[in-house]
Amino acid sequence: MARRTKAEAEATRAALLDAAEEVFFEKGVARTSLEQIARHAGLTRGAVYWHFRNKADLFRAMMDRVRMPFQELVDEAEDPGAAASPLQAIRLGCQQGFLRLEQPRHRRVHAILVHRCEFFSDIDPGAMQSEMADECLAALGDYFDAAHAQGLLRTDIAPELATRLLQTLLSGLFHDWLRDTRAFSLREHGMALVDAQLALLSRQPPPA
């Protein structure tokens, strides 16, 4: 019985987060009340407060469902039997990230963060975007440091610069795509840009 109760509680929490995504996307975060979210989910406001302290807590939980630590993306895409080089790992992580972002939930939640959320109360969308960018920057930096140590980068490009170049490319691509997600395939267009960037950063092998 306890197991069923726990399952029901998890289902209720998921239903509230699903409803929050839909209402936030339609109305914007600041103009959405917890009462509206509860009603959209077919639940009471008391159910919302059972699972979340306030709207900011609910918003962060919604964001947590689409967090994409770069190492996690690499691990998902990497063949367990093959050891990828640092630059190959970067490519795999980017590819997996594009695939995730094209999923409806990821696309919707990130659109909410970037376009439908204003700074108010305990929610600071700018700080959240910076936190996510910093996480990606740190992970990319580790891989480019390893690539530099293995002699895979051009000698005239420091790993810090390589990291910033790719991070800037990814950020610009992401925001361009979110403005109109139907304009182009993020995965196809994104991978063409990432491959071109990595080729420009890579140390070319000596001619045979």
Short mmCIF file of all heavy atoms in Angstrom, two decimals, residues 7-60:
data_model
loop_
_atom_site.label_atom_id
_atom_site.label_comp_id
_atom_site.label_asym_id
_atom_site.label_seq_id
_atom_site.Cartn_x
_atom_site.Cartn_y
_atom_site.Cartn_z
N ALA A 7 3.88 5.92 -5.39
CA ALA A 7 3.73 6.01 -6.84
C ALA A 7 2.69 7.07 -7.20
O ALA A 7 2.86 7.83 -8.16
CB ALA A 7 3.33 4.66 -7.42
N GLU A 8 1.63 7.13 -6.45
CA GLU A 8 0.59 8.13 -6.71
C GLU A 8 1.12 9.54 -6.46
O GLU A 8 0.81 10.47 -7.22
CB GLU A 8 -0.63 7.86 -5.83
CG GLU A 8 -1.41 6.62 -6.23
CD GLU A 8 -2.54 6.30 -5.27
OE1 GLU A 8 -2.57 6.88 -4.16
OE2 GLU A 8 -3.39 5.48 -5.64
N ALA A 9 1.92 9.69 -5.41
CA ALA A 9 2.50 11.00 -5.13
C ALA A 9 3.44 11.44 -6.25
O ALA A 9 3.44 12.61 -6.66
CB ALA A 9 3.25 10.95 -3.79
N GLU A 10 4.23 10.51 -6.76
CA GLU A 10 5.13 10.83 -7.86
C GLU A 10 4.35 11.18 -9.12
O GLU A 10 4.74 12.09 -9.88
CB GLU A 10 6.06 9.64 -8.13
CG GLU A 10 7.09 9.41 -7.01
CD GLU A 10 7.92 8.16 -7.23
OE1 GLU A 10 7.56 7.36 -8.13
OE2 GLU A 10 8.92 7.97 -6.51
N ALA A 11 3.24 10.49 -9.35
CA ALA A 11 2.41 10.79 -10.52
C ALA A 11 1.78 12.17 -10.38
O ALA A 11 1.68 12.92 -11.37
CB ALA A 11 1.32 9.72 -10.67
N THR A 12 1.35 12.52 -9.18
CA THR A 12 0.76 13.85 -8.95
C THR A 12 1.81 14.93 -9.17
O THR A 12 1.54 15.96 -9.81
CB THR A 12 0.22 13.95 -7.51
OG1 THR A 12 -0.83 12.99 -7.34
CG2 THR A 12 -0.32 15.35 -7.23
N ARG A 13 3.02 14.72 -8.67
CA ARG A 13 4.09 15.70 -8.85
C ARG A 13 4.40 15.88 -10.34
O ARG A 13 4.57 17.02 -10.82
CB ARG A 13 5.34 15.23 -8.11
CG ARG A 13 6.49 16.24 -8.09
CD ARG A 13 7.64 15.70 -7.24
NE ARG A 13 8.67 16.71 -7.04
CZ ARG A 13 9.67 16.97 -7.88
NH1 ARG A 13 9.75 16.28 -9.02
NH2 ARG A 13 10.56 17.90 -7.61
N ALA A 14 4.47 14.76 -11.07
CA ALA A 14 4.75 14.84 -12.50
C ALA A 14 3.63 15.57 -13.24
O ALA A 14 3.89 16.36 -14.16
CB ALA A 14 4.93 13.44 -13.08
N ALA A 15 2.39 15.33 -12.83
CA ALA A 15 1.26 16.00 -13.48
C ALA A 15 1.32 17.51 -13.25
O ALA A 15 1.00 18.30 -14.15
CB ALA A 15 -0.05 15.44 -12.93
N LEU A 16 1.73 17.92 -12.06
CA LEU A 16 1.85 19.35 -11.76
C LEU A 16 2.97 19.99 -12.59
O LEU A 16 2.82 21.10 -13.11
CB LEU A 16 2.11 19.56 -10.27
CG LEU A 16 0.92 19.26 -9.35
CD1 LEU A 16 1.38 19.22 -7.89
CD2 LEU A 16 -0.17 20.30 -9.54
N LEU A 17 4.08 19.28 -12.74
CA LEU A 17 5.18 19.81 -13.55
C LEU A 17 4.79 19.88 -15.02
O LEU A 17 5.13 20.85 -15.71
CB LEU A 17 6.42 18.94 -13.36
CG LEU A 17 7.09 19.04 -11.98
CD1 LEU A 17 8.18 17.97 -11.84
CD2 LEU A 17 7.69 20.42 -11.77
N ASP A 18 4.05 18.87 -15.50
CA ASP A 18 3.57 18.90 -16.88
C ASP A 18 2.65 20.10 -17.09
O ASP A 18 2.75 20.81 -18.11
CB ASP A 18 2.82 17.62 -17.22
CG ASP A 18 3.73 16.40 -17.30
OD1 ASP A 18 4.95 16.58 -17.40
OD2 ASP A 18 3.20 15.27 -17.25
N ALA A 19 1.76 20.32 -16.13
CA ALA A 19 0.82 21.45 -16.23
C ALA A 19 1.57 22.77 -16.18
O ALA A 19 1.24 23.71 -16.92
CB ALA A 19 -0.20 21.36 -15.10
N ALA A 20 2.58 22.86 -15.33
CA ALA A 20 3.36 24.10 -15.22
C ALA A 20 4.04 24.41 -16.55
O ALA A 20 4.03 25.55 -17.00
CB ALA A 20 4.40 23.96 -14.11
N GLU A 21 4.61 23.41 -17.20
CA GLU A 21 5.24 23.62 -18.51
C GLU A 21 4.24 24.23 -19.49
O GLU A 21 4.55 25.20 -20.19
CB GLU A 21 5.74 22.29 -19.07
CG GLU A 21 7.01 21.77 -18.44
CD GLU A 21 7.45 20.47 -19.11
OE1 GLU A 21 7.04 20.24 -20.28
OE2 GLU A 21 8.17 19.69 -18.48
N GLU A 22 3.06 23.65 -19.54
CA GLU A 22 2.08 24.09 -20.53
C GLU A 22 1.57 25.50 -20.23
O GLU A 22 1.45 26.33 -21.14
CB GLU A 22 0.93 23.09 -20.57
CG GLU A 22 1.36 21.71 -21.09
CD GLU A 22 0.26 20.67 -20.96
OE1 GLU A 22 -0.88 21.04 -20.60
OE2 GLU A 22 0.53 19.49 -21.22
N VAL A 23 1.28 25.79 -18.96
CA VAL A 23 0.73 27.10 -18.62
C VAL A 23 1.82 28.18 -18.67
O VAL A 23 1.57 29.29 -19.14
CB VAL A 23 0.05 27.07 -17.24
CG1 VAL A 23 -0.58 28.44 -16.93
CG2 VAL A 23 -1.03 26.00 -17.19
N PHE A 24 3.01 27.87 -18.18
CA PHE A 24 4.13 28.82 -18.28
C PHE A 24 4.38 29.18 -19.75
O PHE A 24 4.64 30.33 -20.08
CB PHE A 24 5.40 28.24 -17.68
CG PHE A 24 5.44 28.21 -16.18
CD1 PHE A 24 6.28 27.32 -15.52
CD2 PHE A 24 4.67 29.08 -15.42
CE1 PHE A 24 6.33 27.29 -14.14
CE2 PHE A 24 4.71 29.05 -14.03
CZ PHE A 24 5.55 28.16 -13.39
N PHE A 25 4.36 28.16 -20.61
CA PHE A 25 4.64 28.40 -22.02
C PHE A 25 3.56 29.28 -22.66
O PHE A 25 3.84 30.14 -23.50
CB PHE A 25 4.75 27.07 -22.77
CG PHE A 25 5.21 27.20 -24.20
CD1 PHE A 25 6.55 27.35 -24.49
CD2 PHE A 25 4.30 27.16 -25.24
CE1 PHE A 25 6.99 27.48 -25.80
CE2 PHE A 25 4.72 27.30 -26.56
CZ PHE A 25 6.07 27.45 -26.84
N GLU A 26 2.31 29.07 -22.25
CA GLU A 26 1.20 29.82 -22.83
C GLU A 26 1.11 31.24 -22.28
O GLU A 26 0.94 32.20 -23.04
CB GLU A 26 -0.12 29.09 -22.54
CG GLU A 26 -1.35 29.82 -23.06
CD GLU A 26 -2.64 29.16 -22.64
OE1 GLU A 26 -2.59 28.03 -22.08
OE2 GLU A 26 -3.70 29.76 -22.86
N LYS A 27 1.25 31.40 -20.96
CA LYS A 27 0.99 32.69 -20.33
C LYS A 27 2.26 33.44 -19.89
O LYS A 27 2.20 34.64 -19.63
CB LYS A 27 0.09 32.49 -19.10
CG LYS A 27 -1.27 31.91 -19.40
CD LYS A 27 -2.06 31.71 -18.10
CE LYS A 27 -3.45 31.16 -18.39
NZ LYS A 27 -4.28 32.13 -19.15
N GLY A 28 3.38 32.74 -19.77
CA GLY A 28 4.56 33.33 -19.17
C GLY A 28 4.58 33.02 -17.68
O GLY A 28 3.53 32.83 -17.06
N VAL A 29 5.77 32.99 -17.11
CA VAL A 29 5.90 32.57 -15.71
C VAL A 29 5.29 33.59 -14.76
O VAL A 29 4.55 33.24 -13.84
CB VAL A 29 7.39 32.33 -15.37
CG1 VAL A 29 7.55 31.95 -13.90
CG2 VAL A 29 7.98 31.24 -16.26
N ALA A 30 5.58 34.86 -14.96
CA ALA A 30 5.10 35.89 -14.02
C ALA A 30 3.58 35.97 -14.00
O ALA A 30 2.98 36.30 -12.96
CB ALA A 30 5.70 37.24 -14.39
N ARG A 31 2.94 35.69 -15.13
CA ARG A 31 1.48 35.83 -15.21
C ARG A 31 0.74 34.54 -14.91
O ARG A 31 -0.48 34.46 -15.08
CB ARG A 31 1.10 36.32 -16.62
CG ARG A 31 1.52 37.76 -16.88
CD ARG A 31 1.11 38.23 -18.26
NE ARG A 31 1.83 37.53 -19.31
CZ ARG A 31 3.06 37.87 -19.71
NH1 ARG A 31 3.70 38.87 -19.14
NH2 ARG A 31 3.65 37.19 -20.68
N THR A 32 1.47 33.55 -14.44
CA THR A 32 0.85 32.27 -14.09
C THR A 32 0.79 32.11 -12.58
O THR A 32 1.77 32.35 -11.88
CB THR A 32 1.66 31.09 -14.69
OG1 THR A 32 1.62 31.17 -16.11
CG2 THR A 32 1.08 29.76 -14.26
N SER A 33 -0.37 31.71 -12.08
CA SER A 33 -0.53 31.47 -10.64
C SER A 33 -0.50 29.98 -10.36
O SER A 33 -0.76 29.15 -11.24
CB SER A 33 -1.86 32.06 -10.15
OG SER A 33 -2.95 31.33 -10.69
N LEU A 34 -0.22 29.63 -9.12
CA LEU A 34 -0.26 28.23 -8.73
C LEU A 34 -1.67 27.68 -8.84
O LEU A 34 -1.86 26.49 -9.13
CB LEU A 34 0.27 28.08 -7.30
CG LEU A 34 1.75 28.39 -7.10
CD1 LEU A 34 2.14 28.22 -5.64
CD2 LEU A 34 2.62 27.49 -7.97
N GLU A 35 -2.66 28.52 -8.63
CA GLU A 35 -4.06 28.11 -8.78
C GLU A 35 -4.33 27.68 -10.23
O GLU A 35 -4.98 26.66 -10.48
CB GLU A 35 -4.98 29.26 -8.40
CG GLU A 35 -6.46 28.95 -8.57
CD GLU A 35 -6.99 27.95 -7.57
OE1 GLU A 35 -6.48 27.93 -6.42
OE2 GLU A 35 -7.89 27.17 -7.94
N GLN A 36 -3.80 28.43 -11.19
CA GLN A 36 -3.99 28.07 -12.60
C GLN A 36 -3.31 26.75 -12.94
O GLN A 36 -3.85 25.95 -13.69
CB GLN A 36 -3.44 29.19 -13.48
CG GLN A 36 -4.25 30.47 -13.45
CD GLN A 36 -3.55 31.62 -14.16
OE1 GLN A 36 -2.32 31.77 -14.05
NE2 GLN A 36 -4.30 32.44 -14.87
N ILE A 37 -2.12 26.56 -12.38
CA ILE A 37 -1.40 25.30 -12.63
C ILE A 37 -2.17 24.13 -12.05
O ILE A 37 -2.33 23.08 -12.70
CB ILE A 37 0.02 25.37 -12.04
CG1 ILE A 37 0.86 26.39 -12.83
CG2 ILE A 37 0.69 24.01 -12.06
CD1 ILE A 37 2.21 26.68 -12.21
N ALA A 38 -2.64 24.27 -10.83
CA ALA A 38 -3.40 23.19 -10.19
C ALA A 38 -4.66 22.87 -10.99
O ALA A 38 -4.97 21.70 -11.24
CB ALA A 38 -3.77 23.59 -8.76
N ARG A 39 -5.37 23.91 -11.41
CA ARG A 39 -6.59 23.72 -12.18
C ARG A 39 -6.31 23.03 -13.51
O ARG A 39 -7.04 22.14 -13.94
CB ARG A 39 -7.27 25.07 -12.40
CG ARG A 39 -8.72 24.97 -12.85
CD ARG A 39 -9.47 26.26 -12.62
NE ARG A 39 -8.80 27.40 -13.23
CZ ARG A 39 -8.36 28.45 -12.55
NH1 ARG A 39 -8.50 28.50 -11.23
NH2 ARG A 39 -7.79 29.46 -13.18
N HIS A 40 -5.22 23.43 -14.16
CA HIS A 40 -4.85 22.82 -15.44
C HIS A 40 -4.52 21.34 -15.26
O HIS A 40 -4.77 20.54 -16.17
CB HIS A 40 -3.64 23.56 -16.02
CG HIS A 40 -3.35 23.22 -17.44
ND1 HIS A 40 -4.07 23.74 -18.50
CD2 HIS A 40 -2.42 22.40 -18.00
CE1 HIS A 40 -3.59 23.26 -19.64
NE2 HIS A 40 -2.59 22.45 -19.37
N ALA A 41 -3.96 20.99 -14.12
CA ALA A 41 -3.62 19.58 -13.84
C ALA A 41 -4.80 18.79 -13.31
O ALA A 41 -4.69 17.57 -13.12
CB ALA A 41 -2.47 19.53 -12.83
N GLY A 42 -5.94 19.48 -13.06
CA GLY A 42 -7.10 18.81 -12.49
C GLY A 42 -6.91 18.49 -11.02
O GLY A 42 -7.49 17.52 -10.50
N LEU A 43 -6.12 19.33 -10.32
CA LEU A 43 -5.82 19.11 -8.91
C LEU A 43 -6.13 20.37 -8.11
O LEU A 43 -6.53 21.40 -8.67
CB LEU A 43 -4.34 18.73 -8.75
CG LEU A 43 -3.92 17.42 -9.44
CD1 LEU A 43 -2.41 17.33 -9.55
CD2 LEU A 43 -4.48 16.22 -8.68
N THR A 44 -5.93 20.30 -6.82
CA THR A 44 -6.18 21.45 -5.95
C THR A 44 -4.88 22.20 -5.69
O THR A 44 -3.79 21.66 -5.88
CB THR A 44 -6.76 21.00 -4.61
OG1 THR A 44 -5.77 20.23 -3.90
CG2 THR A 44 -8.01 20.15 -4.80
N ARG A 45 -5.00 23.44 -5.24
CA ARG A 45 -3.81 24.21 -4.90
C ARG A 45 -3.07 23.56 -3.74
O ARG A 45 -1.84 23.67 -3.62
CB ARG A 45 -4.18 25.65 -4.57
CG ARG A 45 -2.96 26.56 -4.48
CD ARG A 45 -3.36 28.01 -4.44
NE ARG A 45 -4.16 28.34 -3.27
CZ ARG A 45 -4.54 29.58 -2.95
NH1 ARG A 45 -4.21 30.58 -3.75
NH2 ARG A 45 -5.27 29.81 -1.89
N GLY A 46 -3.82 22.89 -2.86
CA GLY A 46 -3.18 22.17 -1.76
C GLY A 46 -2.22 21.11 -2.25
O GLY A 46 -1.17 20.87 -1.63
N ALA A 47 -2.56 20.48 -3.37
CA ALA A 47 -1.66 19.47 -3.94
C ALA A 47 -0.35 20.11 -4.39
O ALA A 47 0.73 19.52 -4.26
CB ALA A 47 -2.34 18.77 -5.11
N VAL A 48 -0.45 21.33 -4.91
CA VAL A 48 0.77 22.04 -5.32
C VAL A 48 1.66 22.28 -4.12
O VAL A 48 2.87 22.00 -4.14
CB VAL A 48 0.43 23.38 -6.00
CG1 VAL A 48 1.71 24.10 -6.41
CG2 VAL A 48 -0.46 23.16 -7.22
N TYR A 49 1.07 22.79 -3.03
CA TYR A 49 1.87 23.11 -1.84
C TYR A 49 2.37 21.86 -1.11
O TYR A 49 3.31 21.94 -0.32
CB TYR A 49 1.06 24.00 -0.89
CG TYR A 49 0.99 25.43 -1.36
CD1 TYR A 49 -0.22 25.97 -1.78
CD2 TYR A 49 2.13 26.22 -1.41
CE1 TYR A 49 -0.29 27.29 -2.22
CE2 TYR A 49 2.07 27.54 -1.84
CZ TYR A 49 0.86 28.06 -2.25
OH TYR A 49 0.81 29.36 -2.70
N TRP A 50 1.76 20.73 -1.36
CA TRP A 50 2.25 19.49 -0.77
C TRP A 50 3.60 19.12 -1.37
O TRP A 50 4.47 18.58 -0.69
CB TRP A 50 1.25 18.36 -1.01
CG TRP A 50 1.71 17.03 -0.49
CD1 TRP A 50 2.31 16.03 -1.19
CD2 TRP A 50 1.63 16.57 0.87
NE1 TRP A 50 2.61 14.97 -0.37
CE2 TRP A 50 2.20 15.27 0.90
CE3 TRP A 50 1.12 17.13 2.05
CZ2 TRP A 50 2.26 14.52 2.06
CZ3 TRP A 50 1.20 16.37 3.22
CH2 TRP A 50 1.77 15.09 3.22
N HIS A 51 3.77 19.44 -2.66
CA HIS A 51 4.99 19.04 -3.37
C HIS A 51 6.00 20.17 -3.54
O HIS A 51 7.20 19.91 -3.68
CB HIS A 51 4.62 18.49 -4.76
CG HIS A 51 3.89 17.18 -4.71
ND1 HIS A 51 4.54 15.97 -4.59
CD2 HIS A 51 2.57 16.90 -4.77
CE1 HIS A 51 3.66 14.99 -4.58
NE2 HIS A 51 2.45 15.52 -4.69
N PHE A 52 5.53 21.42 -3.54
CA PHE A 52 6.42 22.55 -3.82
C PHE A 52 6.15 23.69 -2.83
O PHE A 52 5.00 23.98 -2.53
CB PHE A 52 6.23 23.05 -5.26
CG PHE A 52 6.33 21.97 -6.29
CD1 PHE A 52 5.19 21.43 -6.87
CD2 PHE A 52 7.58 21.47 -6.67
CE1 PHE A 52 5.29 20.42 -7.81
CE2 PHE A 52 7.69 20.47 -7.61
CZ PHE A 52 6.53 19.93 -8.18
N ARG A 53 7.23 24.33 -2.38
CA ARG A 53 7.08 25.42 -1.40
C ARG A 53 6.40 26.63 -2.00
O ARG A 53 5.59 27.29 -1.35
CB ARG A 53 8.45 25.83 -0.85
CG ARG A 53 9.15 24.75 -0.03
CD ARG A 53 10.41 25.29 0.63
NE ARG A 53 11.37 25.79 -0.35
CZ ARG A 53 12.26 25.02 -0.99
NH1 ARG A 53 12.28 23.72 -0.77
NH2 ARG A 53 13.10 25.55 -1.87
N ASN A 54 6.72 26.93 -3.25
CA ASN A 54 6.19 28.11 -3.92
C ASN A 54 6.42 27.97 -5.42
O ASN A 54 6.90 26.93 -5.89
CB ASN A 54 6.85 29.39 -3.37
CG ASN A 54 8.37 29.25 -3.34
OD1 ASN A 54 8.99 28.70 -4.25
ND2 ASN A 54 9.00 29.75 -2.28
N LYS A 55 6.12 29.00 -6.17
CA LYS A 55 6.26 28.93 -7.63
C LYS A 55 7.72 28.79 -8.04
O LYS A 55 8.04 28.10 -9.01
CB LYS A 55 5.62 30.16 -8.28
CG LYS A 55 5.62 30.08 -9.80
CD LYS A 55 4.60 31.02 -10.45
CE LYS A 55 4.91 32.46 -10.21
NZ LYS A 55 4.02 33.35 -11.02
N ALA A 56 8.62 29.45 -7.31
CA ALA A 56 10.04 29.35 -7.63
C ALA A 56 10.53 27.91 -7.46
O ALA A 56 11.31 27.41 -8.28
CB ALA A 56 10.84 30.30 -6.76
N ASP A 57 10.09 27.25 -6.42
CA ASP A 57 10.47 25.86 -6.18
C ASP A 57 9.95 24.96 -7.30
O ASP A 57 10.68 24.08 -7.80
CB ASP A 57 9.90 25.40 -4.83
CG ASP A 57 10.44 24.04 -4.40
OD1 ASP A 57 11.62 23.75 -4.67
OD2 ASP A 57 9.68 23.28 -3.78
N LEU A 58 8.72 25.19 -7.73
CA LEU A 58 8.14 24.43 -8.83
C LEU A 58 8.90 24.70 -10.13
O LEU A 58 9.20 23.78 -10.89
CB LEU A 58 6.67 24.79 -8.98
CG LEU A 58 5.83 23.99 -9.98
CD1 LEU A 58 4.37 23.98 -9.55
CD2 LEU A 58 5.93 24.56 -11.38
N PHE A 59 9.25 25.96 -10.35
CA PHE A 59 9.98 26.33 -11.57
C PHE A 59 11.33 25.63 -11.63
O PHE A 59 11.74 25.11 -12.67
CB PHE A 59 10.15 27.85 -11.62
CG PHE A 59 10.81 28.35 -12.87
CD1 PHE A 59 10.07 28.56 -14.02
CD2 PHE A 59 12.17 28.61 -12.91
CE1 PHE A 59 10.67 29.01 -15.19
CE2 PHE A 59 12.78 29.08 -14.07
CZ PHE A 59 12.02 29.27 -15.21
N ARG A 60 12.04 25.61 -10.50
CA ARG A 60 13.36 24.96 -10.47
C ARG A 60 13.22 23.45 -10.71
O ARG A 60 14.06 22.84 -11.38
CB ARG A 60 14.05 25.23 -9.15
CG ARG A 60 14.46 26.69 -8.96
CD ARG A 60 15.33 26.89 -7.74
NE ARG A 60 15.56 28.30 -7.49
CZ ARG A 60 14.83 29.04 -6.66
NH1 ARG A 60 13.85 28.48 -5.98
NH2 ARG A 60 15.10 30.32 -6.50
#
